[in-house]
Amino acid sequence: GDNDIGDDGDTIFPGLPPLLRGHPEVHLRNGVIRAARLSATNEPDSESAFFVADLSSVYNQLERWRRYLPEIEPFYAVKCNPDPYVLRLLAALGTGFDCASNGEIGQVLRLGVSPDRIIYANPCKAVSSIKSAARTGVDAMTFDNEDELYKVARVNPNAKLVLRILTDDSKSLCRLGLKFGAPLVTVPGLLLKAKELGLDVIGISFHVGSGCYDSSAFTDAVGWARAAFDMGLTVGYKFSFLDVGGGFEDTNFETTASVLCDALDLHFPDRSGSGLRIIAEPGRYFVSRAFSLAANIIARRAPLSVVGETTEIKGEGDDQPSMMYYINDGVYGAFNCILFDHQEVHPYVLTMNGSFHFSGTESLQASSVWGPTCDSIDCVCPMARLPAGLRVGDWLAFNNMGAYTICAASQFNGFAVSLVTYTSGDGYGSQEVRLALKAAHAAVLNA
Ligand code: PLP
């Protein structure tokens, strides 16, 4: 609910076991997960899979962003994970938001965020959607085609338009150029049309693709954006806005940041004098690491194969799993990231034979991990080396489960979407997170 922020400055939500707060030995992820469920083992749904969201991780990612990219305002890509408390925290800490639909716009506005902190970053919108956005005061929006200009001229002539150009996304997990982005050769024509329609194009955006593992993609992209700025000048637009999109990765963030700054120095050397505003639309970067998932082993079996008259256990060797574990979240739920977001996930053991205390020296066996539905595509992990002592009722956990997981989870086959347990962490930033959430809570009540 909305009234669940405690007043003692320490509790964020009732129901958060006191153990989760400031326990000196609690290792954040494992510790939180253990504490949360140990205290709940008598509850009827105590075996349900669940997320643990460490909001201090989101806080720390923002600090890190502001340290390495101080010139670039992050507009969090809501699509990545519209978790209400992530949104509240970021709203309170002053980020902007990249929304792709009226639903997302409404969700952000209801937090008390002003419409000028939102970019409607979907180049292909329904007329009715442009209209509703305009009614709520959201004027900044992207486009990449001529029809969009006619639509905008008709229903929101005050729009602040941002032309999304096509860049090389071949070094990314999820290529977005297949669907969006105007090739550079089409830019002069689009800008001429915008001029003819009397529209205000304020700048350029691009997206190097989500999960960009080669930082150099940003170098070329900024160069192409520069070329588009120059094309704007020719047509009579003096752009003041550059949106460098998403694609930022946790693991190579510093490298990407430095490559990006170098590219800006090269292509926009006079930017502070000319008052250029630069934003980005990071999604994954903020939330991936903040969420872990714990799932319960609800069944297991040996992979049997029937050959002629005889039944034999498949596997034995290292190349074939010799045990199949069935857990209570799968690719139709949180693990849709395997199908849609091209992820691989890696389970680790939380309990073994019902106990949190195990040596870690158990012999490992080749195993596979499956989701709960009656569909064979529902394979979470075709090969993992897991301890032979795992039983039904034991817990597995998965880290880096915050990006493109919950948001696209379905209830296929009647399985509920796993719920989130929150913590503000017990390390750096935890106090700031609590204060920010309180401020956010007040803003929501006032909105
Ligand atoms: N902006 C737009 C327009 C997107 O389509 C996406 C992802 O699909 C993002 C931002 C966020 O990308 P990422 O999560 O890689 O930062």
Side-chain angles (χ1 to χ4, degrees), residues 75-80 98-100 121-123 142 164 174 176 180 205-212 243 245-249 280-287 341 403-404:
F75 277 51
Y76 172 64
V78 174
K79 65 179 80 67
C80 183
D98 153 5
C99 297
N122 184 339
T142 60
R164 175 153 160 191
C174 308
L176 298 167
F180 298 116
S205 79
F206 59 76
H207 197 305
V208 295
S210 191
C212 183
D243 173 355
F248 299 87
E249 275 286 303
E281 302 166 356
R284 191 188 301 282
Y285 165 81
F286 276 112
V287 287
D341 196 33
Y404 305 107

Side-chain angles (χ1 to χ4, degrees), residues 8 10-11 13-23 26 35-36 39 434:
D8 62 8
D10 228 14
T11 309
F13 315 108
L16 197 68
L19 249 181
L20 300 193
R21 288 189 251 136
H23 192 295
V26 170
S39 62
R434 292 180 184 122

Side-chain angles (χ1 to χ4, degrees), residues 129 270 409:
S129 305
D270 56 345

Side-chain angles (χ1 to χ4, degrees), residues 215-219 222 253-264:
S215 304
S216 72
F218 281 94
T219 308
V222 172
F253 177 68
E254 281 76 9
T255 311
T256 300
S258 117
V259 166
L260 184 50
C261 290
D262 288 348
L264 291 170

